[in-house]
Amino acid sequence: DRLDQNLWYFNSSDGNIESISMGLIKTPSIIQQPAANTIVTAGTDVNLTVTANGLNPLCYQWYFGNTSIIGSTNYVLTLTNIQFLQSGNYEVIVSNSFGVVTSTVAQVMVLSPPYITNQPSIISVFAGSNATMTVGALGTAPMSYQWSFGSFVIPDATNSTLIVSNAQSANEGYYQVTVANDLDAATSSPVLLHVL
């Protein structure tokens, strides 16, 4: 209309003249949200898509958590060769000169075999003291740990940290830990324990 308040149109299904507020047409609105839950395997590609209406030009900005993703200013967010640390919540803000709208959260879960982030380090202790070795690992939970001494599995050594209490010369040698989940397993480098 002349006041630029409404868009009038003919509804052919019921034969009536109807109107839509121009505010609704100008302001961006999301008509198709990005997929709520996406589960993928590490190393694959993921596309998150949003469909929006509103007076052009429409601007898009994707976020991972509360951080904007640099260069992600399209209606499609492509995550190439996605990795475990990219698991989390994604959303997009659509804007134009008349308003702003935020999408619902799209949760992406990346399934990953375990991988070791921090190898246990060589350690030297005096006889009779405790030796502590720790491994850092990431991957899809739940993850299990199993430490070994030489070729022997250490009973009940199933945590990310191994404590050798009251270390003696018989405890000197190489230790390793295997981290496993439902997808695969990873074994640390051998770490040498010196008992002085």
Side-chain angles (χ1 to χ4, degrees), residues 9-27:
Y9 66 97
F10 175 71
N11 187 338
S12 60
S13 63
D14 60 14
N16 291 326
I17 301 291
E18 298 177 2
S19 68
I20 299 173
S21 165
M22 285 299 289
L24 293 176
I25 295 173
K26 292 176 181 178
T27 304

Side-chain angles (χ1 to χ4, degrees), residues 87-126:
S87 293
N89 295 330
Y90 293 81
E91 60 187 353
V92 60
I93 292 178
V94 185
S95 63
N96 64 10
S97 55
F98 296 98
V100 174
V101 64
T102 303
S103 72
T104 57
V105 171
Q107 186 175 41
V108 176
M109 180 181 199
V110 182
L111 302 178
S112 172
Y115 59 96
I116 294 174
T117 56
N118 294 314
Q119 295 281 353
S121 12
I122 295 172
I123 188 168
S124 297
V125 295
F126 288 105

Side-chain angles (χ1 to χ4, degrees), residues 150-171:
S151 59
F152 300 100
V153 171
I154 304 171
D156 300 322
T158 55
N159 295 311
S160 59
T161 298
L162 172 68
I163 299 174
V164 179
S165 301
N166 188 26
Q168 301 296 324
S169 57
N171 302 119

Side-chain angles (χ1 to χ4, degrees), residues 38-48 64 69 77-90 106-113 115:
T38 303
I39 300 174
V40 294
T41 305
T44 58
D45 296 344
V46 175
N47 289 317
L48 298 176
F64 175 47
I69 305 171
L77 172 66
T78 300
L79 303 169
T80 305
N81 190 26
I82 194 167
Q83 297 301 312
F84 181 72
L85 292 177
Q86 292 174 282
S87 293
N89 295 330
Y90 293 81
Q107 186 175 41
V108 176
M109 180 181 199
V110 182
L111 302 178
S112 172
Y115 59 96

